[in-house]
């Protein structure tokens, strides 16, 4: 029977509770403010927002390096010499992190890598579900675990809604024309994951309160998700009333057990303060 250890990047935004519960090892990504670079997780997200407010310059984010990955892989094998590492990577098309993991893995045996094609709570959902799968199937092979991840990643649905478009505009994800048009018409585009890419999806018109409620309801209307896989997240400065709206919508759709996660520095640098998101895994048809 193999001993499996899951690794992932900090951009997966796992809670400390999940990290400890499933013994996940987290590889840091990075955030740069001006000339200073920080490991993701060691910088308060609010400082990112303060930096943007003061300078008008969007913080830069970067993936984990081969050295970051090698350091964590080495730590795992020193503690668990007979272990197999299952590395569930942050969306490979959005960052160099997965390439870095592949480079570092060449120096070790028994490392198995798979691209989650997700970010933030989408990746966290896959990590959590995979850890539970391993617990329930202790004699499973590495190949079976990878196949499991590849299956559920194709059914993982993630939608986010930024409260303001400033950060998306500054990061080049929204054009200047679209930015001013959206503000003029009071429209907010939702952001979804498609084959690993963050892309604009449905546009909601009206107040953010109204948009949050419609986005959450549309999530359940468009996707037949397993209620036990639901995770929701909010960036710092997400107001209590919007959290309450989410809770109400979830209960209306029969979801009574769910986890609120906190958006980390990497995703918050793109989505901005007050952004909200939801993820879940669609049921097998």
């Amino acid at each position: 029977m193999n001993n499996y250890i899951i690794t992932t990047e900090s951009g997966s935004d796992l809670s400390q509770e999940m990290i400890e519960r499933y013994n996940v090892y987290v590889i840091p990504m990075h955030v740069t403010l001006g000339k200073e670079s920080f490991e993701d997780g060691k910088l308060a997200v609010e400082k990112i927002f303060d930096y943007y407010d003061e300078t008008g310059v969007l913080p830069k984010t970067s993936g984990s390096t081969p050295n970051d990955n090698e350091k964590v892989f080495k730590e795992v094998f020193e503690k668990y010499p007979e272990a197999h590492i299952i590395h569930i990577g942050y969306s490979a098309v959005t960052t160099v992190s997965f390439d870095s993991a592949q480079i570092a893995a060449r120096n070790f045996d028994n490392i198995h890598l798979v691209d989650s094609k997700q970010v933030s709570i989408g990746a966290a959902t896959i990590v959590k579900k995979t850890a539970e799968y391993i617990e329930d199937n202790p004699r499973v092979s590495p190949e079976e675990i990878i196949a499991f991840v590849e299956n559920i990643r194709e059914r993982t649905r993630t939608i986010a809604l930024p409260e303001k478009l400033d950060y998306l505009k500054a990061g080049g994800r929204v054009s200047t024309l679209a930015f001013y048009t959206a503000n003029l018409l009071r429209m907010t585009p939702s952001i979804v994951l498609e084959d690993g890419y963050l892309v604009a999806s449905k546009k909601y018109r009206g107040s953010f309160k109204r948009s949050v409620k419609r986005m959450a309801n549309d999530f359940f209307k468009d996707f037949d998700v397993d209620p036990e896989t639901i995770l929701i997240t909010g960036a710092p400065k997400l107001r209590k009333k919007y959290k309450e709206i989410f809770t109400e919508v979830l209960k209306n759709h029969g979801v009574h057990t769910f986890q609120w996660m906190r958006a980390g520095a990497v995703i918050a640098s793109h989505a901005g303060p007050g952004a909200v998101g939801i993820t879940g895994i669609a049921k097998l048809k």
Side-chain angles (χ1 to χ4, degrees):
M1 182 170 63
N2 292 321
N3 180 24
Y4 294 107
I5 302 295
I6 294 176
T7 59
T8 191
E9 293 93 339
S10 59
S12 297
D13 290 344
L14 272 71
S15 65
Q16 189 60 36
E17 177 187 356
M18 289 172 65
I19 292 169
E20 294 174 1
R21 166 66 180 81
Y22 299 111
N23 194 29
V24 179
Y25 280 69
V26 178
I27 300 162
M29 296 173 77
H30 303 273
V31 180
T32 300
L33 307 181
K35 296 182 179 180
E36 291 188 88
S37 184
F38 303 86
E39 286 189 359
D40 181 26
K42 294 186 177 180
L43 174 70
V45 179
E46 290 83 353
K47 289 189 176 181
I48 289 173
F49 301 151
D50 292 341
Y51 176 81
Y52 180 73
D53 289 342
E54 292 167 5
T55 66
V57 177
L58 194 68
K60 294 180 180 179
T61 60
S62 56
S64 58
T65 66
N67 184 62
D68 293 327
N69 284 269
E70 185 167 350
K71 182 178 178 181
V72 173
F73 294 159
K74 185 177 180 181
E75 182 183 352
V76 170
F77 286 129
E78 284 179 349
K79 189 170 183 179
Y80 307 99
E82 304 302 318
H84 283 250
I85 288 177
I86 304 296
H87 180 76
I88 302 176
Y90 191 94
S91 174
V93 296
T94 66
T95 174
V96 299
S97 290
F98 196 71
D99 286 342
S100 294
Q102 290 179 311
I103 292 169
R106 295 170 187 165
N107 298 321
F108 303 90
D109 294 322
N110 298 332
I111 296 181
H112 315 274
L113 303 101
V114 58
D115 177 7
S116 73
K117 296 186 178 181
Q118 286 284 333
V119 304
S120 189
I121 57 170
T125 295
I126 293 173
V127 168
K128 180 175 182 289
K129 199 68 177 175
T130 303
E132 292 170 348
Y133 172 73
I134 293 171
E135 286 184 351
D136 293 341
N137 300 275
R139 297 188 180 280
V140 72
S141 69
E143 292 76 20
E144 289 171 317
I145 296 172
I146 297 302
F148 175 82
V149 174
E150 290 174 341
N151 178 284
I152 62 172
R153 78 181 180 191
E154 301 307 318
R155 294 186 285 119
T156 300
R157 310 291 182 243
T158 302
I159 300 180
L161 196 71
E163 184 171 9
K164 298 180 179 179
L165 298 182
D166 304 59
Y167 281 65
L168 293 175
K169 175 179 175 290
R173 296 186 183 276
V174 172
S175 69
T176 300
L177 177 60
F179 172 75
Y180 286 114
T181 301
N183 280 341
L184 179 65
L185 299 178
R186 298 186 71 195
M187 296 181 69
T188 305
S190 59
I191 306 298
V192 300
L193 268 290
E194 289 186 0
D195 202 28
Y197 291 94
L198 290 157
V199 298
S201 185
K202 288 184 180 179
K203 297 180 176 65
Y204 295 99
R205 189 168 184 174
S207 68
F208 190 62
K209 177 180 178 180
R210 183 168 181 261
S211 297
V212 165
K213 188 171 184 177
R214 289 182 61 200
M215 183 270 282
N217 276 310
D218 281 350
F219 179 80
F220 289 98
K221 183 176 70 174
D222 295 341
F223 309 118
D224 184 20
V225 296
D226 179 349
E228 295 186 0
T229 64
I230 294 292
L231 290 180
I232 47 181
T233 188
K237 299 189 179 183
L238 174 64
R239 284 178 263 184
K240 182 180 178 181
K241 61 182 179 180
Y242 301 137
K243 286 189 174 184
E244 291 173 346
I245 289 171
F246 247 106
T247 299
E248 178 187 353
V249 171
L250 290 172
K251 289 181 177 178
N252 288 342
H253 288 276
V255 182
H256 300 286
T257 302
F258 53 88
Q259 286 182 271
W260 266 104
M261 311 290 280
R262 181 179 169 87
V266 170
I267 197 67
S269 293
H270 300 287
V276 65
I278 183 170
T279 192
I281 300 174
K283 299 175 185 176
L284 284 169
K285 295 181 179 180

